[in-house]
Amino acid sequence: MLAIIAPGQGSQTPGFLAPWLEDASLRDLLATWSDAIELDLLHLGTSADADEIRDTANAQPLIVAAGLLGMSALGSEIDLSVTAGHSVGEITAAAIASVLSNNDALRLVRERGSVMAVAAAQSQTGMSAVLGGERAEVLAALTRLDLVAANENGAGQIVAAGDLVALAKLSESPPAGARIRALAVAGAFHTRYMRSALNHLAEFARPLPVKNPIITVVSNKDGEVVATGREVLDRIVNQIANPVRWDLCMKTLSDLGVTAILEVPPAGTLVGLIKRALPGVETLALKSPADLAAARDLIARHTTSRVGKVGGQ
């Protein structure tokens, strides 16, 4: 059984889309999406520097567009059973499952990135990965500093979010056995600091047309399978101010019997977590067009029946 997963913010690096855009059809597709959401995705994916693509309003649409571009490169006739996304990657997953069209997914993420950027600018906040340590001790340390476990990623990784001064204190005195790594994000996402963006995004999302997923969708909120398109969208909206439980998503992927996982661009982060948490599952990070042949081979070896045409325009 094959699952396709989509990464979240912080997975982007300068120029990572350049190899994909050597294909004229993919370049034209990205140009079309750029025009549709009035954001130069070609520039952001090729020539923009690290600071420009760290900006939340740029990073989020870029990441979702990259995932959808990777799916387009694979082709629309893909046999898969399950999809999930980390944080903003849930919008990519919703398009993969045909809950949202590609165009509506990009419109949604454009708005999400914009309102979250405004919310982030209202306070001096950020996020840091806590790598290692005992979960209970890490959570206790975050509570003492009034920080939030915004992402529980499993495989010994919890992402702390909150005030930059408190994050600095955490870095200076980490929990036993843990090390701290600041993340390239511009705010405390999935925390109370994003509540000011919530109502606006809910209003924007309400009229978007949705369909029920054609494949299994696993939710960040609690690792549960979501059956209806409207609930998928509602969870995506509410997620901006609530923690991501990627650890529970990975448990559900295992419980469902997933045997292989393909991560779409900008790939690598989630595959790294899965290799540690689910060592028996075959993984592949679709980082560049050079990985397409291996990706198609993985798909062929881990699917037994057609599920349906994934994605939409």
Side-chain angles (χ1 to χ4, degrees):
M1 181 184 292
L2 174 71
I4 289 188
I5 59 174
Q9 198 163 341
S11 55
Q12 73 278 10
T13 55
F16 77 97
L17 278 185
W20 295 99
L21 301 185
E22 292 176 10
D23 182 323
S25 64
L26 295 180
R27 189 177 187 87
D28 289 346
L29 182 59
L30 194 64
T32 299
W33 291 341
S34 295
D35 291 341
I37 63 172
E38 298 182 343
L39 185 67
D40 192 348
L41 296 165
L42 288 91
H43 163 70
L44 292 174
T46 57
S47 55
D49 63 19
D51 287 339
E52 191 171 1
I53 63 170
R54 180 175 178 268
D55 182 335
T56 301
N58 293 332
Q60 293 190 12
L62 176 62
I63 289 164
V64 171
L68 298 180
L69 205 67
M71 290 298 295
S72 295
L74 283 169
S76 60
E77 303 287 333
I78 303 172
D79 296 336
L80 68 151
S81 301
V82 185
T83 188
H86 188 286
S87 186
V88 72
E90 283 206 312
I91 297 178
T92 315
I96 290 171
S98 292
V99 171
L100 293 169
S101 69
N102 286 350
N103 288 342
D104 285 337
L106 288 164
R107 289 178 58 221
L108 178 63
V109 74
R110 176 74 159 118
E111 194 70 14
R112 183 188 193 268
S114 296
V115 297
M116 289 178 72
V118 171
Q122 295 173 7
S123 58
Q124 296 295 309
T125 58
M127 305 176 81
S128 293
V130 184
L131 307 171
E134 293 294 326
R135 179 176 181 271
E137 293 182 18
V138 170
L139 295 179
L142 301 190
T143 299
R144 287 194 296 271
L145 291 168
D146 196 27
L147 295 169
V148 176
N151 304 161
E152 290 202 46
N153 288 333
Q157 183 187 113
I158 292 175
V159 174
D163 182 77
L164 290 177
V165 174
L167 289 171
K169 291 179 180 178
L170 179 68
S171 184
E172 292 165 2
S173 182
R179 65 187 191 279
I180 312 299
R181 177 170 58 84
L183 299 182
V185 297
F189 306 135
H190 307 294
T191 71
R192 64 184 183 276
Y193 293 99
M194 293 293 111
R195 285 177 186 160
S196 62
L198 200 52
N199 288 340
H200 182 98
L201 189 62
E203 285 298 317
F204 181 88
R206 188 168 291 115
L208 289 178
V210 295
K211 297 179 181 178
N212 290 337
I214 62 171
I215 56 175
T216 299
V217 175
V218 181
S219 170
N220 276 182
K221 179 181 178 180
D222 47 20
E224 293 295 313
V225 171
V226 184
T228 71
R230 182 50 56 181
E231 186 179 359
V232 169
L233 184 57
D234 288 346
R235 283 176 172 238
I236 285 171
V237 170
N238 289 320
Q239 171 209 68
I240 67 174
N242 291 283
V244 169
R245 292 299 305 267
W246 185 250
D247 57 335
L248 299 180
C249 288
M250 292 193 295
K251 181 180 184 302
T252 299
L253 293 176
S254 178
D255 291 345
L256 289 170
V258 168
T259 56
I261 294 176
L262 174 66
E263 183 180 359
V264 296
T269 301
L270 298 183
V271 158
L273 293 170
I274 287 165
K275 284 180 176 178
R276 294 190 290 275
L278 305 175
V281 174
E282 187 174 358
T283 60
L284 192 147
L286 185 60
K287 295 182 177 182
S288 78
D291 300 314
L292 284 170
R296 292 185 180 114
D297 175 68
L298 182 80
I299 291 166
R301 289 187 290 104
H302 289 272
T303 56
T304 56
S305 63
R306 171 161 296 287
V307 176
K309 184 182 292 186
V310 301
Q313 294 304 315

